[in-house]
Amino acid sequence: MQRLLLLTTAFFGMASFWTGRPAHAIEPVDVALVLVDDVSGSINDDEYKLEKQGYYAAFTSDSVVAAIQGGPVGAVAVMFVEFAGAGQVENVVDWTIVRDADSARAFAQKLQDAPRSSWGHTAIGDGVTLAMQDLAASGVKATRRIIDVAGDGTNNSGRPVEEARDEAAQQGIIINGLAIANESDIPWLQRHTHPPGGLANYYRHSVTAGETSFVLEVHDYHSFGEAVTRKLVQEIARRVAADRNG
């Protein structure tokens, strides 16, 4: 028995040597990023499909991969969350370490293949809350922790978004926003998607957190991928936009 124990210890010691890291080492990354995406009822299936295609295009772009590899560690941890109404918030793609074109494409493919999780109201606060929990349980050591919220309307369900935002800010988490223009002419939907001052302004005042936080506006779903690419490069490269208002 003693000999078996010694052999087992030697085996795991060699395994640690071969991999270049301890078996239970915490993975260092430049950024731990939770993408929090709106799948409420105001986003139809065609728009949702364009969103997914946009995320795929962004993560497979040369500029995003170059930004990832240009960091001190050269790797990021990414997770994807979808939110609709209260109780309709789900982890869709688990934590993935992205460090090169192959791992970026693998994450993008998982994201694109995942079915839509739900429909409903818009619980941005619940989405941010789950993202905070995910960051706490990520198992990575990140220089920066970022929550990236993409949506087309105001918080109208679940936890107040300002409360969730303030909690994230207290933890040193940055929240950025991607405000998507919804051109529907339905009166009740207009009030939700076009608050006083505009949706981007609402995101700036009620959703984002952190000194380097920013909001980008997407004026149609066909340009969603381009906006996501810009946002990811800015977040990963830690560039503060000349115009923080997007």
Side-chain angles (χ1 to χ4, degrees), residues 139-221:
V140 301
K141 183 179 181 180
T143 305
R144 286 168 288 135
R145 296 175 298 158
I146 300 173
I147 297 171
D148 183 14
V149 181
D152 75 341
T154 59
N155 192 80
N156 62 12
S157 178
R159 184 183 188 186
V161 64
E162 295 85 358
E163 180 182 293
R165 173 207 60 197
D166 290 346
E167 183 181 340
Q170 290 171 2
Q171 297 178 27
I173 297 169
I174 297 167
I175 305 178
N176 296 323
L178 197 60
I180 308 169
N182 189 310
E183 300 306 324
S184 172
D185 57 1
I186 301 173
W188 67 264
L189 188 57
Q190 281 277 311
R191 290 192 296 271
H192 169 58
T193 59
H194 293 73
L199 185 62
N201 198 46
Y202 170 83
Y203 263 63
R204 292 183 192 106
H205 289 288
S206 297
V207 180
T208 59
E211 291 185 2
T212 62
S213 65
F214 62 91
V215 176
L216 294 181
E217 289 186 81
V218 183
H219 297 285
D220 64 79
Y221 282 90

Side-chain angles (χ1 to χ4, degrees), residues 231-242:
K231 176 194 62 59
L232 287 172
V233 170
Q234 188 167 326
E235 286 170 335
I236 295 167
R238 201 175 187 178
R239 297 174 186 164
V240 181

